[in-house]
Each structure stands twice: as structure tokens, then as C-alpha cells.
Amino acid sequence: MAEVEAVQLKEEGNRHFQLQDYKAATKSYSQALKLTKDKALLATLYRNRAACGLKTESYVQAASDASRAIDINSSDIKALYRRCQALEHLGKLDQAFKDVQRCATLEPRNQNFQETLRRLNTSIQEKLRVQFSTDLRVQKMFEILLDENSEVDKREKAANNLIVLGREEAGAEKIFQNNGVALLLQLLDTKKPELVLAAVRTLSGMCSGHRARATVILHAVRIDRICSLMAVENEEMSLAVCNLLQAIIDSLSGEDKREHRGKEEALVLDTKKDLKQITSHLLDMLVSKKVSGQGRDQALNLLNKNVPRKDLAIHDNSRTIYVVDNGLRKILKVVGQVPDLPSCLPLTDNTRMLASILINKLYDDLRCDPERDHFRKICEEYITGKFDPQDMDKNLNAIQTVSGILQGPFDLGNQLLGLKGVMEMMVALCGSERETDQLVAVEALIHASTKLSRATFIITNGVSLLKQIYKTTKNEKIKIRTLVGLCKLGSAGGTDYGLRQFAEGSTEKLAKQCRKWLCNTSIDTRTRRWAVEGLAYLTLDADVKDDFVQDIPALQAMFELAKASTSDKTILYSVATTLVNCTNSYDVKEVIPELVQLAKFSKQHVPEEHPKDKKDFIDMRVKRLLKAGVISALACMVKADSAILTDQTKELLARVFLALCDNPKDRGTIVAQGGGKALIPLALEGTDVGKVKAAHALAKIAAVSNPDIAFPGERVYEVVRPLVSLLDTQRDGLQNYEALLGLTNLSGRSDKLRQKIFKERALPDIENYMFENHDQLRQAATECMCNMVLHKEVQERFLADGNDRLKLVVLLCGEDDDKVQNAAAGALAMLTAAHKKLCLKMTQVTTQWLEILQRLCLHDQLSVQHRGLVIAYNLLAADAELAKKLVESELLEILTVVGKQEPDEKKAEVVQTARECLIKCMDYGFIKPVS
């Protein structure tokens, strides 16, 4: 019984293979292998499974299966050739050559084997030539670099060549085999920045995607030395060493996603100890006085990127637990630094924000309440331990720490505000004579008023404090911060016109002052950043945002700050929030009239919309923002490579882009200023909402722009996946429709793009929308399919048995909608031209086929009629029996009538095609010409 079932499973696998469902075929063959002991059947099953492996690009599996078939029968020519193909893809050319040589011996006349032999021979010779030349090049480069007398430009060239070589797998292996690590350590010992930089970058390339090499390099260079190199003041050096450490971490943790093979696969390395050691050293860097601000930022960036889980579905959060237990106090120390105090660690403008983000990520990564309670207790102990009536600086650090946590996990920050003495200390610091104390206290008050409930408490207590400081202080820095505090409290009612906190006109006055400071270039950047922060709150008020977009100098000053965010990236969120407010791209709850009436009746508060939040005002604001150069600012912000460009900030940027793309007339401007390129990373990474918004904006651009201009070079292939993600029933109709238009435009460009769309599994989704009741969706899907049928693999889907794809296209040709008919007829014309089998299949899928064809050939619209006549010609040319059937129908009369017309400019193609059909009938001898 088992043998019979095994044979049935083999047949089932063969059917799946013919339908190109290779995963199902592999499953059937694997099940059959467990049921049989028959050697001949085993060989066939392994051989067939190897063919599936080749199709799914699982080359290691394919080579293994083919080898098992060859073990049973050493002359199995199919298995030998399949193993040869797999080995060639794995780069094992010499072994592949031996297999095809054996094939050619068994079947000397097979041209395919002879051609493969020639090709592999050429590749092997080339590989040997490169190998020998690489060895010499590596030695020569090191000689030049380590010779102190060699010329500067020669050294520079050798350093660059070495970096390039280290990035290639073969080159990295050659450097490694030729004692390269020891020589690179010698370069590090020279202490010359350009040589050290070259060595670090080469090591970085060598570590990428190779666990064994990364482990050797980590132990040879030593983690303490790597960290000391990252701690230097030189930004370029610090970043290069950060990239080296990231490459090592990726390789050790398996994040590089490369397929390990051969010796590399055989090495079982326990990397946990090394990874823990790296984390421990990075945490020590945070509190070391010897580490520069740049170095501290890079250490925080690495911790932000590698400690919290990438996906919360993964259960193991041990890395976060380790950092909380061993490093949370160190992170809190960084957050609590006050730049004006003599005891302050070296910082950049971004350091404290990066530490706040790390605290937020660690807190979000905790799995249960006990873990969160433990986290909170550490924070509480740290803060209360700082309170000291004798030492004001310590109190200052405690309040600064609370302020930093408030910028991270809000709920934790709010719990800490409730600690005994925290609020009192803030009030005491506000009244202090020392300006540093006032500065820290005001910032803490601003962050404390994030939640509406907390803000109402501060409105009653804090407003008078802030106003007092605002009036008495002479320091501009404090003045701006107190103003932002007032802005934030003034906007606590959000966009609700009826919930204004301050008297009429107060918010406009505050905003005017913010804009004034924003334009004042004599004030330092960090202080001007606070003016943007103030506007981020005030622009919830429609009067304020309308005034702001009319103030071009203020807009451009904000954009310049955003572009210059290389030094201070903490401004990104404020700028993004301000732009979201100005474009009204935040989520607005739908107002249900019945509920409004009910609320009024029960004397509940009803949110009111400001007159300036209506559509025409928003459109005007978008126009002004585009004119002021918002796109180039957004493009610069997207490029900010730092943990401060959080997923939430990316979502805000995506919302702004979508609002800017709304009017088709503006999309050309957006493309010209680089908006298309900037959207791609936003559509691939970030929150789910952000990715959908960015994908929708991409779809709007892809639908109406020339893809070669909007997404130059290889970028165009990255656009496909976001667009395909919009073909989902959870997305709304407009997103589906514009994604289909975008894919139609892309699929019309090149076969490579059609292949990419096919590989992203978009075909079933496009087919689903061809069944839609909604006319526009059905039309867009059919037009997309019309372009996709040019691709060979799509045609094979139509050729396969057991599906209704062709039937659907034929029936759509009979629809009443001209545009759907046009697209469906185009698809059918191309399919019938490509395969005779489809011409015959068309007559079998539905009994209405002839009636539909005749309707197409008589259509009022010339483009549809022309496509109908091309289908008729394809059917006539495909088969004599089929041609006879067509000639005996009314189609001959239609062709005669159309063919006898006098061809004018518009009808020339139609008449010509009809005449070609008649000539084909004459060739068969079914009709004769009239003398």
C-alpha cells in the first residue's frame, strides 16, 4: 500500500510542478520519499525534488538531492546535470564542470551539455586569473601602505583599493588568507587617521556576512580597542568604527541574512558571549569622561539598533533585560546631564535625545508588569538618590533625568512626576536665581505638560510661574523656553476650536514671537529649535498655521534648520509635527450628525471645526509649502541616519508627503525636487500606518509620472513592493485603485519590471480586482493585466490547465464599459499572438466567444475594433480547422465590410488588419478574389 501511495504522491508532485507550484511539488515528493524503499522510485523522487530546488533557488538542497539520486544510479544523466546547475549557482565551478563533463561523455551529441562545458571552462579560467592577480594585488597594497616613504597619492589609491577589495567576498577571503588581519592591525598602530580609517573600513567589509571572519577579527582587534577608536572626536572615524561594530554584530547574531555554505556552515560558533561583551563595553562608553560626544552618540545608536527586539512576536527579550539590569543607571546618567554644569560629560546636541529614545525602546520591549515595575523602581531609586538639600547640582541632575524620561515613555514619566518632591523641586528651581536652574526647570515643565490631564494641573499652577519667569528673565534662551511652555499649555485643547485654553488672540501673539525667534540667525540653533517646538503645538490652531505658511522667511528658516539637522537631529520631530498640522494630515474622527445632536441635547461639549480647516484653505497652504521648498527639506530629513529619526517621525513625514501629493498638478514639482526617491525608504520601514501612507503617496506619483524620471536607476524596482502591499482588501478603494494605476504605468516600462511585479506575487491580487463590481477598479486591474501578459511567466499561467484566467479575459471583452473592453481585448490580442494553444483554448472557455469577437470587430471605438480584428487574425493564423469555423460564421461578412472601406488616416490600421484577415482566408483557399 505504501508503495502505491508513494507513486500517487509522485504523480501529484508532477502535476504541481507543471502548474509551477514548486513548494507543493516539493512537499509531495518529500512525503513520497518517506513511504518507499524502491531504489528506482527513490532516484526519481530525489531527482524531481532537485528540479524544484533549482526553480525555488534553494541550490544547496538541489545539489544534495541530485547527489542522492546519483548515489543510487551513477549514470543518472538528469540528476548529474541538475547537480551541475546547482553547483554552478553555488560558485563551485570545478565540481560543476566534472558533472557536465560526465553528462557530455554519456551523451556526446547533446548540444546543451557541450555549450555548458564551454561556458564553465571559460568561467574557471577567468576565476583562476583573478585569483592569482588578487593575491599579488593584496601584497602590493600592504607594501605601499606600510612603507613610510611611499607617495601620498599612491597610499590613498592603495587604501581605497583595499576597502573595495574587502567588500567583495573573494577579495575579503584573499586578504584574510594572506595574513591580512595582522597587517591591518599594523595599519591601526600607525595612528595616522587616513590609514586607520582605511583599515577600519576594510575590516568592516571583511566582517559583513561572514560569522567566522567576524569572530576572528573581533578577538584579534579586541572590543576595548574598537571602542577606544569609536570614542575619538573625529566624526568620520567614529562613524566608520560604528559601522564596523554593526557589521560584526550583524554577522554574529545572524542578522546579515546571507546563506552560509560549506566550511562556514560547518562552524558552530556560540556568539552570545561575544555579543554580551560588546553590549557591556558600549554601556561603559556611555558614562566615560574619555569618550567624545560623537562616540557616545554612536554607542547609543548601536544600542538603539541592536538591543530591543525587531519584532515583538519574538519571545526572547533577554538582551533588553541584561541592559536594564546592567546599564539602565548609566543611560539615566546620560539623560540627566546638564550641559552648563562643569561635571557634564562630553555631549552633542543629539546625545540626550538618543538616550531618551533608548529608554523608550527598552521600556516598550518589556513583556510583563513585573519587568516594568522593576524598570520603574530603578528609575525611582536613581532620581530620589540624587535629591540633596546641600547640593543643588545633584537636584538639577534629578529633574533633568525626569525631563529626559518624559521625552521617552510618557506613562513612566508621569508616574515619576508623582514622586514626592519632584514637582516641588521644579517649582523651587523656577524661582532660583541661577539661570541654569531656571532653564532645566522650564524644560521639565514643558515636557511634563504633554498629557492633557497633567497639563490642566500645570495650567493652574505653572502658567503663573512661566509668566513670571518670562517677564523677569533677561536671558533669551530661558525666554524662548518659557514661551514654548506657554505655547504647549495654550494648545492643550488640540484642534478643537471651542476648547481654546487662552484668551482670543493670545496664541497668535505667542506664534508671532516664535516666528520672530525662528528667523533670528544670531540666536544659537539649539534655542531656535525651541521656537519650532512652540510652533509644533501652536499650529494646531488654524489661524496660527494660516499665518505661518504666509510667512515665507519663517518657513524657509525652519526648512534650513531641518536640512542642517546633521549636527542637531532633535528638531526632526518638531518640524514633522508642524508640517502635519499645516497640511491637516493628522487623523480626523468622522463626525456623526446624530451623535452631535445627542451631545448638544445632553449639554456635552461638541468639538468645533475652525473655518480655516476647510478643504480650500488646506489646498492653499499646500501650494505655499511647495513653493517655499518643503520637498527638499523633507528629502534631507528622510536621509538622517540616526535613531532620532524614529518610526513615529517617519510616519509624520509620510503623512505630509501624502497630503502634498493629493493634487495631480503638484506631483511633477514633487518629483523634480526628489520627492519620489525620498518616499521609498518611508514605504519600506516604519510604523504600519506610516508605510501605508508612504506607499499611497508613491502610488499617486507612479500613476502619473514617468518612472525613469521619478525613480531613476535601480530605485524603480524598490517601488514595486510598496505598491503591491496596497492591493489588499483591508486598504480602501482609492488606495487599491491608485496602486493599480501605478503598477500599470510600471509594467508598461520594461520586462524586468514586469518580472519584479510577478515575483512580488501581485498577479492573484490583480486578478481579484478584475472580478470587482466597482467599474474603475475593474478597469484599472484589466489595464494592468493587459501590460503584464507581455511577460513570459504570466503567459505560462494562462497556458496552464485548470484555471479560468483566459475565460475571465474573454468575458471582460464582452463588457459594456469601453475602457474595460479595450484593456481586455488588448490582453487577449497579445496572448493569442504569443501562443497558438491559447487561440484554441479561447474557443473552449465559453460558448459566447464568437459573439464577443464579432462585437469587438464591429465596435464604435477604433482602438477596440482594431484589437478585435487582431484577435481574429491570430485565430485564423493559428489553425486551419478554426479558420474554417470562423469563415463559416458571420465574421467573414464583418471582415469583408470593414476591409472594403476606404482607409482614411484614423481607420488605416483597422482596414489594413481586416484585409490581412481576408488574405489569410484566401491563402487557405476558403474564399476567392473577385475579378
Side-chain angles (χ1 to χ4, degrees):
M1 282 298 286
E3 293 294 336
V4 173
E5 197 180 335
V7 172
Q8 286 173 346
L9 281 164
K10 185 197 85 168
E11 296 302 330
E12 184 187 286
N14 292 350
R15 283 195 295 278
H16 285 310
F17 190 89
Q18 283 168 346
L19 292 169
Q20 297 176 357
D21 189 350
Y22 303 119
K23 280 188 180 172
T26 304
K27 196 177 174 186
S28 300
Y29 295 141
S30 301
Q31 287 171 336
L33 281 165
K34 291 173 188 171
L35 298 173
T36 183
K37 288 189 171 62
D38 181 289
K39 285 200 169 182
L41 183 56
L42 280 169
T44 306
L45 289 166
Y46 279 127
R47 189 171 67 210
N48 290 2
R49 199 167 73 173
C52 293
L54 288 172
K55 291 288 186 185
T56 55
E57 298 178 11
S58 309
Y59 300 119
V60 176
Q61 186 62 46
S64 168
D65 283 341
S67 295
R68 288 180 176 183
I70 294 161
D71 290 343
I72 298 166
N73 175 9
S74 60
S75 300
D76 187 334
I77 200 156
K78 284 186 180 176
L80 280 163
Y81 191 61
R82 279 168 196 169
R83 186 168 73 177
C84 158
Q85 289 173 295
L87 290 168
E88 186 182 352
H89 281 290
L90 292 171
K92 298 176 180 177
L93 302 183
D94 45 349
Q95 293 174 35
F97 185 78
K98 283 177 189 169
D99 279 347
V100 78
Q101 211 170 21
R102 179 109 175 87
C103 291
T105 311
L106 293 167
E107 273 188 31
R109 290 187 178 176
N110 188 316
Q111 286 301 311
N112 202 3
F113 297 158
Q114 296 297 339
E115 181 54 41
T116 309
L117 257 178
R118 277 194 292 277
R119 191 182 72 248
L120 284 174
N121 187 29
T122 311
S123 301
I124 288 167
Q125 296 305 322
E126 179 60 21
K127 192 178 177 183
L128 288 169
R129 189 184 66 74
V130 170
Q131 203 168 333
F132 288 123
S133 64
T134 306
D135 285 356
L136 290 169
R137 271 166 61 207
V138 171
Q139 287 168 3
K140 191 80 182 147
M141 281 176 217
F142 278 117
E143 280 171 20
I144 293 168
L145 289 169
L146 292 168
D147 178 10
E148 290 196 4
N149 301 320
S150 55
E151 294 164 27
V152 176
D153 56 339
K154 271 192 178 178
R155 264 188 174 193
E156 207 172 286
K157 195 175 177 186
N160 288 334
N161 288 343
L162 197 64
I163 295 164
V164 172
L165 204 60
R167 286 178 187 154
E168 300 165 7
E169 175 53 37
E173 194 55 36
K174 277 285 153 268
I175 297 171
F176 193 74
Q177 301 292 354
N178 285 315
N179 193 29
V181 177
L183 292 167
L184 287 165
L185 284 172
Q186 284 182 41
L187 285 183
L188 292 178
D189 292 336
T190 61
K191 302 265 176 28
K192 292 181 178 171
E194 70 279 7
L195 294 183
V196 174
L197 206 55
V200 167
R201 285 175 174 161
T202 307
L203 287 167
S204 191
M206 289 168 71
C207 291
S208 294
H210 201 293
R211 189 177 293 181
R213 269 204 305 265
T215 309
V216 171
I217 287 168
L218 178 65
H219 289 276
V221 185
R222 296 194 327 277
I223 181 64
D224 53 328
R225 186 173 188 181
I226 294 173
C227 288
S228 66
L229 280 171
M230 193 161 78
V232 298
E233 200 65 58
N234 182 333
E235 187 181 352
E236 196 179 9
M237 178 71 74
S238 193
L239 186 61
V241 181
C242 174
N243 290 336
L244 166 62
L245 257 182
Q246 187 60 57
I248 292 173
I249 293 167
D250 284 348
S251 295
L252 295 186
S253 60
E255 288 290 326
D256 55 316
K257 301 282 183 289
R258 298 199 196 177
E259 191 178 340
H260 298 302
R261 308 190 277 265
K263 294 175 189 172
E264 172 70 358
E265 195 177 32
L267 277 166
V268 181
L269 299 163
D270 183 17
T271 58
K272 284 181 183 167
K273 192 178 171 188
D274 286 333
L275 287 167
K276 197 171 269 188
Q277 195 186 16
I278 292 170
T279 307
S280 173
H281 274 81
L282 289 174
L283 289 168
D284 290 342
M285 280 182 77
L286 298 185
V287 290
S288 167
K289 278 252 181 192
K290 293 176 184 173
V291 176
S292 69
Q294 290 293 345
R296 213 175 309 280
D297 283 5
Q298 299 304 350
L300 284 164
N301 274 329
L302 285 166
L303 289 166
N304 263 312
K305 193 170 179 187
N306 298 295
V307 174
R309 290 170 289 172
K310 303 272 189 301
D311 181 0
L312 293 179
I314 301 164
H315 196 64
D316 177 25
N317 69 340
S318 56
R319 283 189 287 198
T320 294
I321 300 296
Y322 175 78
V323 170
V324 170
D325 290 341
N326 298 282
L328 182 55
R329 288 174 184 81
K330 293 173 183 174
I331 302 165
L332 289 170
K333 183 174 179 179
V334 176
V335 165
Q337 293 300 300
V338 180
D340 298 336
L341 294 184
S343 61
C344 184
L345 296 167
L347 305 175
T348 70
D349 290 337
N350 302 318
T351 312
R352 287 187 59 247
M353 179 57 88
L354 283 167
S356 291
I357 288 166
L358 179 57
I359 291 172
N360 192 35
K361 285 189 172 182
L362 293 173
Y363 191 73
D364 285 346
D365 201 42
L366 300 173
R367 287 200 321 253
C368 55
D369 286 345
E371 287 179 2
R372 281 184 275 273
D373 288 342
H374 175 58
F375 192 101
R376 192 192 70 239
K377 275 177 190 156
I378 294 174
C379 295
E380 284 179 1
E381 284 166 15
Y382 182 85
I383 291 162
T384 49
K386 285 277 178 193
F387 284 143
D388 183 349
Q390 306 304 318
D391 189 344
M392 209 55 182
D393 286 359
K394 277 190 168 182
N395 295 332
L396 210 53
N397 286 133
I399 296 302
Q400 186 80 317
T401 307
V402 175
S403 185
I405 294 171
L406 280 163
Q407 290 175 73
F410 289 132
D411 50 344
L412 175 66
N414 276 335
Q415 284 175 326
L416 296 174
L417 281 175
L419 279 177
K420 191 176 177 225
V422 171
M423 275 299 187
E424 291 84 346
M425 183 55 71
M426 279 191 197
V427 174
L429 289 171
C430 280
S432 164
E433 293 293 311
R434 202 165 60 155
E435 288 186 337
T436 308
D437 298 353
Q438 288 185 10
L439 207 63
V440 170
V442 170
E443 283 192 19
L445 270 174
I446 291 168
H447 296 309
S449 59
T450 299
K451 286 278 163 77
L452 184 59
S453 57
R454 186 66 61 184
T456 47
F457 161 77
I458 290 171
I459 284 169
T460 51
N461 301 280
V463 170
S464 53
L465 264 173
L466 290 172
K467 282 184 177 173
Q468 183 63 32
I469 294 172
Y470 187 69
K471 284 173 189 169
T472 55
T473 186
K474 297 280 186 287
N475 187 329
E476 287 277 286
K477 292 181 180 181
I478 296 172
K479 230 180 175 66
I480 289 183
R481 284 161 176 76
T482 50
L483 186 81
V484 172
L486 291 166
C487 293
K488 199 166 182 181
L489 300 174
S491 68
T495 54
D496 185 351
Y497 187 44
L499 252 189
R500 289 182 150 199
Q501 300 289 335
F502 292 161
E504 189 77 37
S506 299
T507 39
E508 282 93 324
K509 279 181 190 168
L510 289 172
K512 198 172 179 185
Q513 186 58 57
C514 279
R515 299 205 311 266
K516 196 171 154 189
W517 270 320
L518 183 58
C519 296
N520 186 349
T521 48
S522 62
I523 303 174
D524 67 292
T525 311
R526 195 148 168 260
T527 308
R528 285 168 72 206
R529 192 194 85 219
W530 280 96
V532 182
E533 186 100 5
L535 286 165
Y537 297 111
L538 292 176
T539 46
L540 284 165
D541 184 302
D543 286 319
V544 170
K545 55 184 145 188
D546 221 55
D547 292 343
F548 181 46
V549 293
Q550 289 179 47
D551 186 346
I552 299 297
L555 267 185
Q556 287 178 336
M558 182 175 83
F559 295 157
E560 286 310 313
L561 282 176
K563 286 179 191 174
S565 59
T566 45
S567 55
D568 180 2
K569 297 191 180 77
T570 49
I571 197 171
L572 295 176
Y573 190 79
S574 312
V575 174
T577 308
T578 307
L579 291 171
V580 164
N581 292 342
C582 289
T583 54
N584 285 46
S585 46
Y586 40 72
D587 290 327
V588 180
K589 282 184 182 173
E590 194 182 340
V591 178
I592 300 161
E594 290 82 1
L595 288 179
V596 172
Q597 293 302 321
L598 198 64
K600 282 180 179 172
F601 178 74
S602 58
K603 296 194 168 53
Q604 293 291 320
H605 172 72
V606 180
E608 296 173 41
E609 188 188 38
H610 195 291
K612 288 185 180 175
D613 275 333
K614 293 199 164 32
K615 180 90 173 75
D616 47 350
F617 278 97
I618 298 169
D619 292 344
M620 189 58 73
R621 287 201 287 272
V622 165
K623 284 263 184 291
R624 288 198 168 116
L625 284 169
L626 285 168
K627 200 173 176 184
V630 67
I631 297 296
S632 54
L634 289 170
C636 286
M637 289 164 77
V638 171
K639 286 178 193 163
D641 179 28
S642 161
I644 288 173
L645 185 65
T646 57
D647 288 348
Q648 284 71 26
T649 309
K650 286 179 190 170
E651 184 188 315
L652 295 178
L653 295 176
R655 285 173 180 276
V656 175
F657 265 120
L658 183 57
L660 296 172
C661 291
D662 193 48
N663 187 340
K665 289 177 183 173
D666 295 332
R667 292 173 202 168
T669 312
I670 292 166
V671 167
Q673 293 175 7
K677 291 179 284 189
L679 268 167
I680 296 170
L682 296 178
L684 298 172
E685 291 172 6
T687 63
D688 290 340
V689 174
K691 286 193 283 192
V692 170
K693 300 268 183 203
H696 192 187
L698 272 177
K700 284 178 180 290
I701 289 173
V704 297
S705 310
N706 178 344
D708 299 339
I709 295 168
F711 317 107
E714 297 295 304
R715 282 195 188 89
V716 71
Y717 300 105
E718 294 175 48
V719 179
V720 174
R721 183 172 295 171
L723 296 195
V724 174
S725 72
L726 293 178
L727 301 183
D728 190 319
T729 46
Q730 291 178 328
R731 307 280 159 258
D732 63 44
L734 183 64
Q735 289 170 339
N736 300 155
Y737 177 66
E738 294 191 309
L740 285 166
L741 291 185
L743 288 169
T744 305
N745 198 3
L746 294 179
S747 58
R749 301 305 297 175
S750 70
D751 198 56
K752 207 171 168 189
L753 270 167
R754 287 190 282 276
Q755 185 181 13
K756 176 71 177 165
I757 294 169
F758 181 81
K759 282 203 165 176
E760 291 293 342
R761 299 191 177 89
L763 206 65
D765 295 320
I766 296 167
E767 285 166 355
N768 285 343
Y769 289 108
M770 288 166 74
F771 282 105
E772 266 288 337
N773 289 329
H774 193 287
D775 291 345
Q776 283 177 297
L777 274 176
R778 192 168 68 242
Q779 174 205 323
T782 313
E783 285 174 352
C784 190
M785 184 58 79
C786 179
N787 284 346
M788 286 300 293
V789 295
L790 287 165
H791 185 55
K792 193 173 144 221
E793 289 178 81
V794 177
Q795 292 170 8
E796 284 169 8
R797 290 287 174 98
F798 277 89
L799 282 165
D801 295 326
N803 68 70
D804 288 335
R805 287 189 179 90
L806 192 66
K807 182 179 180 178
L808 174 62
V809 174
V810 174
L811 292 174
L812 286 173
C813 289
E815 284 283 314
D816 293 332
D817 186 325
D818 287 354
K819 287 181 177 174
V820 172
Q821 262 189 311
N822 196 35
L828 196 56
M830 285 186 278
L831 287 166
T832 50
H835 297 279
K836 288 183 180 179
K837 187 181 169 185
L838 288 174
C839 296
L840 298 168
K841 193 175 175 181
M842 176 184 158
T843 63
Q844 296 155 7
V845 290
T846 171
T847 52
Q848 301 165 9
W849 70 273
L850 189 56
E851 185 192 332
I852 289 169
L853 180 61
Q854 288 169 355
R855 277 181 62 195
L856 289 177
C857 294
L858 284 169
H859 206 281
D860 301 338
Q861 226 183 60
L862 291 175
S863 63
V864 181
Q865 188 181 17
H866 179 241
R867 291 172 184 207
L869 290 165
V870 170
I871 297 165
Y873 178 81
N874 294 338
L875 297 185
L876 288 165
D879 179 71
E881 283 297 312
L882 179 54
K884 193 175 180 187
K885 203 172 183 179
L886 289 171
V887 169
E888 287 167 358
S889 72
E890 290 172 13
L891 187 68
L892 180 61
E893 200 177 323
I894 295 167
L895 293 173
T896 312
V897 170
V898 178
K900 279 185 176 176
Q901 289 177 8
E902 280 302 317
D904 57 24
E905 229 176 278
K906 288 180 183 173
K907 289 185 177 177
E909 276 187 325
V910 171
V911 176
Q912 182 59 32
T913 311
R915 288 177 181 177
E916 282 170 11
C917 291
L918 292 168
I919 291 165
K920 199 75 196 164
C921 295
M922 281 163 55
D923 293 344
Y924 283 125
F926 297 147
I927 61 171
K928 289 191 172 74
V930 180
S931 58

